[in-house]
Amino acid sequence: MGYQDVYDSWTSDPEGFWMEQAQAIDWDQPPSKALFDRGDHLYEWFADGMVNTCWNAVDRHVEAGRGEQTAIIYDSPITHTKRWITYVELRNRVATLAGALRAKGVEKGDRVVIYMPMIPEALEAMLAAARLGAIHSVVFGGFASHELAVRIDDAKPKAIIAASCGMEPGRVVHYKPLLDGAIEAAAHKPDFCVIFQREQEVAELTPGRDVNWHGFQYGVEPADCVPVEGNHPAYILYTSGTTGQPKGVLRPTGGHLVALNWSMKNLYNVDPGDVFWAASDVGWVVGHSYICYAPLIHGNTTIVFEGKPVGTPDAGTFWRVISEHKVRSFFTAPTAFRAVRREDPNGDFIGKYDLSCLRAVYLAGERADPDTIQWAQDKLNVPVIDHWWQTETGWCIAGNPLGIEELPTKLGSPAKPMPGYDIRILDEAGHEVPAGTLGAIAIKLPLPPGTLPGLWNAEARFRKSYLEHFPGYYETGDAGMIDEDGYVYIMARTDDVINVAGHRLSTGGMEEVLASHPDVAECAVIGVSDQLKGQLPLGFLCLSSGVNRPHEEIVKECVKLVREQIGPVAAFKLACVVDRLPKTRSGKILRATMVKIADSEEFKTPATIDDPAILDEIRTALQGLGYAKA
Ligand code: COA
Ligand code: AMP
């Protein structure tokens, strides 16, 4: 069957299609049907099946005789460490950790926040929670205390599992003070924290609250897998919206297992036993789906890579890992390839390694610029596949399913919709536009298995963010088009979300932080184009009257404030002081116009602008930062 046959087989019988895919999962009690329509545009998948994620990701492979296969390869050029963990070792480690969590009171439905770097123990913590039917919420290590506190208050975890430190090139990230600060700031307090002490830094435990990862597992009874309902949340993953309050995306257990398992062969073209590598971080959705769950569910070997594309130690790291561990399919963000290419434009490092094991490269997380794809294709001589998805969907919306058929590549397009996704391009009024016309990208409901059925404790926000604008559709927040051949093109976000080095960030969240500076009366943050990271945040600050301190000082404090409040990952380093912000007569800040000026693009002065002269002031300020050159 080719791509079109598979897609058509889903269209003609969605229920039958997904029930067939569900057979690849080990259910304690198989679901009676696939789709559960809850009314009012809410849907669930496999809701009455009983199943356990950890069983499917770990134990069943041991039972099936794959116990001695490597499940996880840990490769850390930052700490010069490599480790191999077999499926049987993983099963034993996870069962014991789950037993220790259970002994301290963690049960099905309890939340467990995980704040850990790229070490195998992060995956073990996720799997141990899943083993008990507890709901984990992993927080990316590049987020600071305030962001962690916001997530703690929303998820209300019974336990937090953290490492003593993370390792960034040239600096140790001290997790413990960040964790302590977050717990102090949060209104909700966890019952206990588990601290994994890394060799690089041993953190002092807080008496009465913290336990040692090794110590608290001593002598406990390993825990068996607890079957949960198909619609039971496997995890909550927070992602950026338009405000500083992140959205808690829910991932239900049954659909997650079925969709991820399907994707491994059909999209990523790997068979059980093959080595699959996603060079991301467990704190992001790519890490959840394709470092932890999908490869393990499918019986692959996954790689936990603690390093960067460049500088750890050089631009050949990716190729060294691929060749050494015999990676078959490799997944990363375009920004990582841009970083490698900048240091090694001719691909000299590539020539030093035997990459004959590599069959394809997959890019996602941000728009893949054709230049980067072409460079990678030329240098690596394998298909380089752009595919589009979001934290909300948990797996690919549009891509090129190499395991079914290699569709001809069209540069700039992540190819075609995956089964389960009926993608439409709509105008503002919700009418479909002709092929080749730009519009809002929407997906006809229901979304497929594995995608979000809602937000954690925020149904009204879920409806407002995704369902209300186009009734009967899920609003993706992306704009783009579909051409005559059915290829999808993703052009821009329709909201205030920006994408910095493949990391999704909220300009609204940064504005909230800047507005809290005592000298700032008003502010705006926009995303300006950046050759390496895709976009960078840039802030405009209007000062309160009577403030006459040096502007550089205030800018410096603001940059520091964002780093302290949101975290280094915000990469907020550009800001300037302006007298006024350009606004419409009704008071809306004209951010899109400022982006065009910054990127030296042509623009039309909006007819509704209050005072066009302000745009010149903005241009001058941007030129001072090296933007708005034309
Ligand atoms: N813990 C703590 N700090 C972190 C962190 C983590 N897990 N991850 C990143 N940071 C810090 C970085 O050290 C950097 O700090 P600095 O301002 O002191 O230099 C800051 O956050 C910005 O990080 P980032 O934007 O990732 O830049 P970088 O300099 O670390 O790396 C590239 C830049 C070009 C190498 C980048 O392309 C890259 O690899 N990005 C990751 C892509 C990715 O995995 N995306 C996920 C979706 S698939
Ligand atoms: P995240 O939720 O962090 O995965 O970010 C999702 C957003 O990243 C999408 O809504 C897009 O804006 C962008 N994105 C992800 N993959 C692609 C892609 N292949 N092409 C263009 N944009 C992408």
Side-chain angles (χ1 to χ4, degrees), residues 140 142-144 284 498 500 503-506 510 525 533 535-538 559 562-574:
F140 178 60
F143 283 126
W284 306 112
I498 58 170
V500 180
H503 308 313
R504 176 167 157 183
L505 299 166
S506 161
M510 294 185 215
V525 174
K533 296 194 178 188
Q535 284 182 299
L536 280 180
L538 185 152
V559 166
V562 174
R563 194 179 171 91
E564 281 168 4
Q565 292 278 305
I566 297 179
V569 69
F572 183 82
K573 286 171 184 164
L574 298 165

PDB file of all heavy atoms in Angstrom, residues 140 142-144 284 498 500 503-506 510 525 533 535-538 559 562-574:
ATOM      1  N   PHE A 140      11.421  21.364  31.671  1.00  0.00           N
ATOM      2  CA  PHE A 140      12.712  21.522  31.000  1.00  0.00           C
ATOM      3  C   PHE A 140      13.719  22.224  31.926  1.00  0.00           C
ATOM      4  O   PHE A 140      13.388  23.211  32.602  1.00  0.00           O
ATOM      5  CB  PHE A 140      12.485  22.352  29.730  1.00  0.00           C
ATOM      6  CG  PHE A 140      13.729  22.655  28.951  1.00  0.00           C
ATOM      7  CD1 PHE A 140      14.519  21.636  28.444  1.00  0.00           C
ATOM      8  CD2 PHE A 140      14.100  23.970  28.700  1.00  0.00           C
ATOM      9  CE1 PHE A 140      15.662  21.918  27.717  1.00  0.00           C
ATOM     10  CE2 PHE A 140      15.241  24.269  27.964  1.00  0.00           C
ATOM     11  CZ  PHE A 140      16.027  23.232  27.474  1.00  0.00           C
ATOM     12  N   GLY A 142      16.077  24.169  31.353  1.00  0.00           N
ATOM     13  CA  GLY A 142      16.445  25.547  31.015  1.00  0.00           C
ATOM     14  C   GLY A 142      15.453  26.561  31.563  1.00  0.00           C
ATOM     15  O   GLY A 142      15.627  27.770  31.375  1.00  0.00           O
ATOM     16  N   PHE A 143      14.390  26.081  32.231  1.00  0.00           N
ATOM     17  CA  PHE A 143      13.446  26.996  32.875  1.00  0.00           C
ATOM     18  C   PHE A 143      13.892  27.268  34.311  1.00  0.00           C
ATOM     19  O   PHE A 143      14.346  26.354  35.008  1.00  0.00           O
ATOM     20  CB  PHE A 143      12.029  26.401  32.899  1.00  0.00           C
ATOM     21  CG  PHE A 143      11.323  26.478  31.574  1.00  0.00           C
ATOM     22  CD1 PHE A 143      10.786  25.339  30.992  1.00  0.00           C
ATOM     23  CD2 PHE A 143      11.175  27.695  30.914  1.00  0.00           C
ATOM     24  CE1 PHE A 143      10.127  25.401  29.770  1.00  0.00           C
ATOM     25  CE2 PHE A 143      10.518  27.765  29.692  1.00  0.00           C
ATOM     26  CZ  PHE A 143       9.997  26.615  29.115  1.00  0.00           C
ATOM     27  N   ALA A 144      13.713  28.499  34.733  1.00  0.00           N
ATOM     28  CA  ALA A 144      14.141  28.903  36.075  1.00  0.00           C
ATOM     29  C   ALA A 144      13.021  28.664  37.093  1.00  0.00           C
ATOM     30  O   ALA A 144      11.931  28.209  36.764  1.00  0.00           O
ATOM     31  CB  ALA A 144      14.549  30.368  36.040  1.00  0.00           C
ATOM     32  N   TRP A 284      10.934  18.628  26.361  1.00  0.00           N
ATOM     33  CA  TRP A 284      10.069  19.034  25.255  1.00  0.00           C
ATOM     34  C   TRP A 284       9.260  17.851  24.771  1.00  0.00           C
ATOM     35  O   TRP A 284       9.577  16.695  25.061  1.00  0.00           O
ATOM     36  CB  TRP A 284      10.905  19.588  24.086  1.00  0.00           C
ATOM     37  CG  TRP A 284      11.827  20.688  24.473  1.00  0.00           C
ATOM     38  CD1 TRP A 284      13.185  20.642  24.495  1.00  0.00           C
ATOM     39  CD2 TRP A 284      11.464  22.005  24.927  1.00  0.00           C
ATOM     40  NE1 TRP A 284      13.702  21.852  24.912  1.00  0.00           N
ATOM     41  CE2 TRP A 284      12.672  22.701  25.188  1.00  0.00           C
ATOM     42  CE3 TRP A 284      10.266  22.676  25.128  1.00  0.00           C
ATOM     43  CZ2 TRP A 284      12.697  24.016  25.644  1.00  0.00           C
ATOM     44  CZ3 TRP A 284      10.290  23.992  25.582  1.00  0.00           C
ATOM     45  CH2 TRP A 284      11.491  24.650  25.828  1.00  0.00           C
ATOM     46  N   ILE A 498       6.597  32.534  19.816  1.00  0.00           N
ATOM     47  CA  ILE A 498       7.757  32.565  18.916  1.00  0.00           C
ATOM     48  C   ILE A 498       8.554  31.283  19.092  1.00  0.00           C
ATOM     49  O   ILE A 498       8.356  30.544  20.063  1.00  0.00           O
ATOM     50  CB  ILE A 498       8.659  33.814  19.143  1.00  0.00           C
ATOM     51  CG1 ILE A 498       9.170  33.871  20.585  1.00  0.00           C
ATOM     52  CG2 ILE A 498       7.921  35.080  18.760  1.00  0.00           C
ATOM     53  CD1 ILE A 498      10.243  34.924  20.795  1.00  0.00           C
ATOM     54  N   VAL A 500      12.353  29.892  19.242  1.00  0.00           N
ATOM     55  CA  VAL A 500      13.756  30.258  19.377  1.00  0.00           C
ATOM     56  C   VAL A 500      14.573  28.973  19.491  1.00  0.00           C
ATOM     57  O   VAL A 500      14.438  28.241  20.476  1.00  0.00           O
ATOM     58  CB  VAL A 500      13.970  31.148  20.631  1.00  0.00           C
ATOM     59  CG1 VAL A 500      15.439  31.524  20.777  1.00  0.00           C
ATOM     60  CG2 VAL A 500      13.102  32.390  20.554  1.00  0.00           C
ATOM     61  N   HIS A 503      12.733  26.043  20.363  1.00  0.00           N
ATOM     62  CA  HIS A 503      12.020  26.111  21.634  1.00  0.00           C
ATOM     63  C   HIS A 503      10.847  27.063  21.486  1.00  0.00           C
ATOM     64  O   HIS A 503      11.003  28.184  21.000  1.00  0.00           O
ATOM     65  CB  HIS A 503      12.921  26.625  22.759  1.00  0.00           C
ATOM     66  CG  HIS A 503      14.224  25.899  22.890  1.00  0.00           C
ATOM     67  ND1 HIS A 503      14.308  24.533  22.878  1.00  0.00           N
ATOM     68  CD2 HIS A 503      15.493  26.344  23.028  1.00  0.00           C
ATOM     69  CE1 HIS A 503      15.579  24.174  23.011  1.00  0.00           C
ATOM     70  NE2 HIS A 503      16.320  25.253  23.094  1.00  0.00           N
ATOM     71  N   ARG A 504       9.679  26.620  21.954  1.00  0.00           N
ATOM     72  CA  ARG A 504       8.473  27.437  21.810  1.00  0.00           C
ATOM     73  C   ARG A 504       8.328  28.354  23.016  1.00  0.00           C
ATOM     74  O   ARG A 504       8.297  27.902  24.159  1.00  0.00           O
ATOM     75  CB  ARG A 504       7.288  26.476  21.715  1.00  0.00           C
ATOM     76  CG  ARG A 504       5.959  27.130  21.654  1.00  0.00           C
ATOM     77  CD  ARG A 504       4.966  26.075  21.241  1.00  0.00           C
ATOM     78  NE  ARG A 504       3.638  26.410  21.645  1.00  0.00           N
ATOM     79  CZ  ARG A 504       2.605  25.611  21.449  1.00  0.00           C
ATOM     80  NH1 ARG A 504       2.767  24.425  20.884  1.00  0.00           N
ATOM     81  NH2 ARG A 504       1.407  25.972  21.827  1.00  0.00           N
ATOM     82  N   LEU A 505       8.265  29.643  22.778  1.00  0.00           N
ATOM     83  CA  LEU A 505       8.244  30.618  23.868  1.00  0.00           C
ATOM     84  C   LEU A 505       7.136  31.638  23.658  1.00  0.00           C
ATOM     85  O   LEU A 505       6.731  31.916  22.531  1.00  0.00           O
ATOM     86  CB  LEU A 505       9.594  31.349  23.940  1.00  0.00           C
ATOM     87  CG  LEU A 505      10.813  30.460  24.208  1.00  0.00           C
ATOM     88  CD1 LEU A 505      12.095  31.228  23.904  1.00  0.00           C
ATOM     89  CD2 LEU A 505      10.814  29.975  25.646  1.00  0.00           C
ATOM     90  N   SER A 506       6.673  32.200  24.770  1.00  0.00           N
ATOM     91  CA  SER A 506       5.584  33.158  24.716  1.00  0.00           C
ATOM     92  C   SER A 506       6.118  34.577  24.876  1.00  0.00           C
ATOM     93  O   SER A 506       6.750  34.899  25.883  1.00  0.00           O
ATOM     94  CB  SER A 506       4.603  32.839  25.847  1.00  0.00           C
ATOM     95  OG  SER A 506       3.796  33.940  26.113  1.00  0.00           O
ATOM     96  N   MET A 510       7.079  36.949  28.398  1.00  0.00           N
ATOM     97  CA  MET A 510       8.247  37.821  28.610  1.00  0.00           C
ATOM     98  C   MET A 510       7.787  39.243  28.930  1.00  0.00           C
ATOM     99  O   MET A 510       8.384  39.939  29.754  1.00  0.00           O
ATOM    100  CB  MET A 510       9.143  37.820  27.372  1.00  0.00           C
ATOM    101  CG  MET A 510       9.775  36.464  27.134  1.00  0.00           C
ATOM    102  SD  MET A 510      10.949  36.498  25.775  1.00  0.00           S
ATOM    103  CE  MET A 510      10.695  34.870  25.094  1.00  0.00           C
ATOM    104  N   VAL A 525       7.231  42.696  23.375  1.00  0.00           N
ATOM    105  CA  VAL A 525       8.290  41.792  22.929  1.00  0.00           C
ATOM    106  C   VAL A 525       7.871  41.218  21.579  1.00  0.00           C
ATOM    107  O   VAL A 525       6.728  40.797  21.403  1.00  0.00           O
ATOM    108  CB  VAL A 525       8.527  40.651  23.950  1.00  0.00           C
ATOM    109  CG1 VAL A 525       9.526  39.643  23.410  1.00  0.00           C
ATOM    110  CG2 VAL A 525       9.019  41.217  25.284  1.00  0.00           C
ATOM    111  N   LYS A 533      19.081  30.769  15.163  1.00  0.00           N
ATOM    112  CA  LYS A 533      18.004  30.249  16.019  1.00  0.00           C
ATOM    113  C   LYS A 533      16.611  30.406  15.417  1.00  0.00           C
ATOM    114  O   LYS A 533      15.633  30.068  16.061  1.00  0.00           O
ATOM    115  CB  LYS A 533      18.070  30.919  17.388  1.00  0.00           C
ATOM    116  CG  LYS A 533      19.355  30.578  18.147  1.00  0.00           C
ATOM    117  CD  LYS A 533      19.298  30.948  19.604  1.00  0.00           C
ATOM    118  CE  LYS A 533      20.587  30.543  20.307  1.00  0.00           C
ATOM    119  NZ  LYS A 533      20.536  30.706  21.747  1.00  0.00           N
ATOM    120  N   GLN A 535      14.336  32.533  15.315  1.00  0.00           N
ATOM    121  CA  GLN A 535      13.849  33.797  15.867  1.00  0.00           C
ATOM    122  C   GLN A 535      14.566  34.092  17.169  1.00  0.00           C
ATOM    123  O   GLN A 535      15.050  33.176  17.836  1.00  0.00           O
ATOM    124  CB  GLN A 535      12.343  33.713  16.155  1.00  0.00           C
ATOM    125  CG  GLN A 535      11.467  33.806  14.923  1.00  0.00           C
ATOM    126  CD  GLN A 535       9.990  33.776  15.289  1.00  0.00           C
ATOM    127  OE1 GLN A 535       9.509  32.813  15.866  1.00  0.00           O
ATOM    128  NE2 GLN A 535       9.259  34.829  14.958  1.00  0.00           N
ATOM    129  N   LEU A 536      14.593  35.397  17.510  1.00  0.00           N
ATOM    130  CA  LEU A 536      15.098  35.819  18.820  1.00  0.00           C
ATOM    131  C   LEU A 536      14.107  36.823  19.393  1.00  0.00           C
ATOM    132  O   LEU A 536      13.535  37.624  18.651  1.00  0.00           O
ATOM    133  CB  LEU A 536      16.454  36.525  18.672  1.00  0.00           C
ATOM    134  CG  LEU A 536      17.703  35.672  18.508  1.00  0.00           C
ATOM    135  CD1 LEU A 536      18.922  36.587  18.372  1.00  0.00           C
ATOM    136  CD2 LEU A 536      17.888  34.727  19.694  1.00  0.00           C
ATOM    137  N   PRO A 537      13.889  36.796  20.708  1.00  0.00           N
ATOM    138  CA  PRO A 537      12.997  37.797  21.287  1.00  0.00           C
ATOM    139  C   PRO A 537      13.697  39.155  21.391  1.00  0.00           C
ATOM    140  O   PRO A 537      14.903  39.216  21.654  1.00  0.00           O
ATOM    141  CB  PRO A 537      12.691  37.235  22.680  1.00  0.00           C
ATOM    142  CG  PRO A 537      13.838  36.347  23.009  1.00  0.00           C
ATOM    143  CD  PRO A 537      14.415  35.854  21.708  1.00  0.00           C
ATOM    144  N   LEU A 538      12.948  40.212  21.154  1.00  0.00           N
ATOM    145  CA  LEU A 538      13.489  41.569  21.278  1.00  0.00           C
ATOM    146  C   LEU A 538      12.446  42.426  21.999  1.00  0.00           C
ATOM    147  O   LEU A 538      11.275  42.415  21.624  1.00  0.00           O
ATOM    148  CB  LEU A 538      13.799  42.111  19.881  1.00  0.00           C
ATOM    149  CG  LEU A 538      14.492  43.468  19.772  1.00  0.00           C
ATOM    150  CD1 LEU A 538      15.309  43.549  18.491  1.00  0.00           C
ATOM    151  CD2 LEU A 538      13.540  44.646  19.861  1.00  0.00           C
ATOM    152  N   VAL A 559      17.132  42.271  31.074  1.00  0.00           N
ATOM    153  CA  VAL A 559      17.660  41.022  30.506  1.00  0.00           C
ATOM    154  C   VAL A 559      17.877  40.005  31.628  1.00  0.00           C
ATOM    155  O   VAL A 559      17.517  38.822  31.522  1.00  0.00           O
ATOM    156  CB  VAL A 559      18.974  41.301  29.733  1.00  0.00           C
ATOM    157  CG1 VAL A 559      19.729  40.010  29.422  1.00  0.00           C
ATOM    158  CG2 VAL A 559      18.673  42.078  28.450  1.00  0.00           C
ATOM    159  N   VAL A 562      14.493  38.560  32.986  1.00  0.00           N
ATOM    160  CA  VAL A 562      13.875  37.501  32.160  1.00  0.00           C
ATOM    161  C   VAL A 562      14.640  36.193  32.352  1.00  0.00           C
ATOM    162  O   VAL A 562      14.048  35.117  32.453  1.00  0.00           O
ATOM    163  CB  VAL A 562      13.817  37.901  30.670  1.00  0.00           C
ATOM    164  CG1 VAL A 562      13.308  36.753  29.814  1.00  0.00           C
ATOM    165  CG2 VAL A 562      12.926  39.124  30.482  1.00  0.00           C
ATOM    166  N   ARG A 563      15.960  36.283  32.426  1.00  0.00           N
ATOM    167  CA  ARG A 563      16.761  35.074  32.632  1.00  0.00           C
ATOM    168  C   ARG A 563      16.426  34.435  33.984  1.00  0.00           C
ATOM    169  O   ARG A 563      16.324  33.218  34.100  1.00  0.00           O
ATOM    170  CB  ARG A 563      18.252  35.436  32.553  1.00  0.00           C
ATOM    171  CG  ARG A 563      19.160  34.236  32.406  1.00  0.00           C
ATOM    172  CD  ARG A 563      20.619  34.678  32.300  1.00  0.00           C
ATOM    173  NE  ARG A 563      21.499  33.538  32.365  1.00  0.00           N
ATOM    174  CZ  ARG A 563      21.933  32.856  31.309  1.00  0.00           C
ATOM    175  NH1 ARG A 563      21.578  33.202  30.109  1.00  0.00           N
ATOM    176  NH2 ARG A 563      22.733  31.818  31.461  1.00  0.00           N
ATOM    177  N   GLU A 564      16.248  35.300  34.998  1.00  0.00           N
ATOM    178  CA  GLU A 564      15.952  34.754  36.334  1.00  0.00           C
ATOM    179  C   GLU A 564      14.532  34.212  36.432  1.00  0.00           C
ATOM    180  O   GLU A 564      14.270  33.228  37.101  1.00  0.00           O
ATOM    181  CB  GLU A 564      16.137  35.845  37.396  1.00  0.00           C
ATOM    182  CG  GLU A 564      17.586  36.061  37.747  1.00  0.00           C
ATOM    183  CD  GLU A 564      17.794  37.329  38.564  1.00  0.00           C
ATOM    184  OE1 GLU A 564      16.789  38.009  38.923  1.00  0.00           O
ATOM    185  OE2 GLU A 564      18.954  37.652  38.813  1.00  0.00           O
ATOM    186  N   GLN A 565      13.606  34.894  35.775  1.00  0.00           N
ATOM    187  CA  GLN A 565      12.200  34.517  35.931  1.00  0.00           C
ATOM    188  C   GLN A 565      11.811  33.380  34.985  1.00  0.00           C
ATOM    189  O   GLN A 565      11.166  32.431  35.403  1.00  0.00           O
ATOM    190  CB  GLN A 565      11.298  35.718  35.644  1.00  0.00           C
ATOM    191  CG  GLN A 565      11.413  36.817  36.678  1.00  0.00           C
ATOM    192  CD  GLN A 565      10.548  36.516  37.898  1.00  0.00           C
ATOM    193  OE1 GLN A 565       9.365  36.297  37.797  1.00  0.00           O
ATOM    194  NE2 GLN A 565      11.182  36.497  39.049  1.00  0.00           N
ATOM    195  N   ILE A 566      12.176  33.486  33.724  1.00  0.00           N
ATOM    196  CA  ILE A 566      11.782  32.450  32.767  1.00  0.00           C
ATOM    197  C   ILE A 566      12.889  31.415  32.624  1.00  0.00           C
ATOM    198  O   ILE A 566      12.642  30.221  32.636  1.00  0.00           O
ATOM    199  CB  ILE A 566      11.414  33.063  31.394  1.00  0.00           C
ATOM    200  CG1 ILE A 566      10.193  33.977  31.567  1.00  0.00           C
ATOM    201  CG2 ILE A 566      11.126  31.962  30.362  1.00  0.00           C
ATOM    202  CD1 ILE A 566       9.724  34.679  30.322  1.00  0.00           C
ATOM    203  N   GLY A 567      14.118  31.902  32.493  1.00  0.00           N
ATOM    204  CA  GLY A 567      15.240  30.979  32.383  1.00  0.00           C
ATOM    205  C   GLY A 567      16.114  31.328  31.197  1.00  0.00           C
ATOM    206  O   GLY A 567      15.705  32.094  30.316  1.00  0.00           O
ATOM    207  N   PRO A 568      17.330  30.748  31.161  1.00  0.00           N
ATOM    208  CA  PRO A 568      18.251  31.058  30.065  1.00  0.00           C
ATOM    209  C   PRO A 568      17.679  30.680  28.704  1.00  0.00           C
ATOM    210  O   PRO A 568      18.012  31.279  27.689  1.00  0.00           O
ATOM    211  CB  PRO A 568      19.497  30.226  30.384  1.00  0.00           C
ATOM    212  CG  PRO A 568      19.086  29.239  31.422  1.00  0.00           C
ATOM    213  CD  PRO A 568      17.921  29.836  32.144  1.00  0.00           C
ATOM    214  N   VAL A 569      16.799  29.676  28.683  1.00  0.00           N
ATOM    215  CA  VAL A 569      16.287  29.196  27.403  1.00  0.00           C
ATOM    216  C   VAL A 569      15.516  30.277  26.641  1.00  0.00           C
ATOM    217  O   VAL A 569      15.388  30.217  25.419  1.00  0.00           O
ATOM    218  CB  VAL A 569      15.426  27.931  27.612  1.00  0.00           C
ATOM    219  CG1 VAL A 569      14.143  28.255  28.338  1.00  0.00           C
ATOM    220  CG2 VAL A 569      15.140  27.244  26.302  1.00  0.00           C
ATOM    221  N   ALA A 570      15.032  31.297  27.347  1.00  0.00           N
ATOM    222  CA  ALA A 570      14.316  32.380  26.667  1.00  0.00           C
ATOM    223  C   ALA A 570      15.240  33.138  25.719  1.00  0.00           C
ATOM    224  O   ALA A 570      14.782  33.794  24.781  1.00  0.00           O
ATOM    225  CB  ALA A 570      13.714  33.341  27.687  1.00  0.00           C
ATOM    226  N   ALA A 571      16.550  33.043  25.939  1.00  0.00           N
ATOM    227  CA  ALA A 571      17.551  33.705  25.095  1.00  0.00           C
ATOM    228  C   ALA A 571      17.192  35.176  24.887  1.00  0.00           C
ATOM    229  O   ALA A 571      17.313  35.716  23.789  1.00  0.00           O
ATOM    230  CB  ALA A 571      17.679  32.974  23.752  1.00  0.00           C
ATOM    231  N   PHE A 572      16.729  35.813  25.965  1.00  0.00           N
ATOM    232  CA  PHE A 572      16.334  37.215  25.870  1.00  0.00           C
ATOM    233  C   PHE A 572      17.549  38.087  26.153  1.00  0.00           C
ATOM    234  O   PHE A 572      18.001  38.200  27.284  1.00  0.00           O
ATOM    235  CB  PHE A 572      15.206  37.511  26.875  1.00  0.00           C
ATOM    236  CG  PHE A 572      14.701  38.915  26.798  1.00  0.00           C
ATOM    237  CD1 PHE A 572      13.764  39.287  25.841  1.00  0.00           C
ATOM    238  CD2 PHE A 572      15.178  39.899  27.662  1.00  0.00           C
ATOM    239  CE1 PHE A 572      13.307  40.590  25.757  1.00  0.00           C
ATOM    240  CE2 PHE A 572      14.734  41.205  27.592  1.00  0.00           C
ATOM    241  CZ  PHE A 572      13.790  41.555  26.638  1.00  0.00           C
ATOM    242  N   LYS A 573      18.099  38.685  25.083  1.00  0.00           N
ATOM    243  CA  LYS A 573      19.306  39.499  25.262  1.00  0.00           C
ATOM    244  C   LYS A 573      19.188  40.848  24.572  1.00  0.00           C
ATOM    245  O   LYS A 573      20.038  41.704  24.733  1.00  0.00           O
ATOM    246  CB  LYS A 573      20.526  38.731  24.734  1.00  0.00           C
ATOM    247  CG  LYS A 573      20.911  37.607  25.715  1.00  0.00           C
ATOM    248  CD  LYS A 573      21.956  36.654  25.229  1.00  0.00           C
ATOM    249  CE  LYS A 573      22.130  35.550  26.283  1.00  0.00           C
ATOM    250  NZ  LYS A 573      22.818  34.371  25.814  1.00  0.00           N
ATOM    251  N   LEU A 574      18.143  41.029  23.770  1.00  0.00           N
ATOM    252  CA  LEU A 574      17.991  42.261  22.999  1.00  0.00           C
ATOM    253  C   LEU A 574      16.848  43.099  23.551  1.00  0.00           C
ATOM    254  O   LEU A 574      15.711  42.624  23.615  1.00  0.00           O
ATOM    255  CB  LEU A 574      17.659  41.920  21.544  1.00  0.00           C
ATOM    256  CG  LEU A 574      18.683  41.135  20.746  1.00  0.00           C
ATOM    257  CD1 LEU A 574      18.047  40.578  19.476  1.00  0.00           C
ATOM    258  CD2 LEU A 574      19.867  42.030  20.408  1.00  0.00           C
TER     259      LEU A 574
END
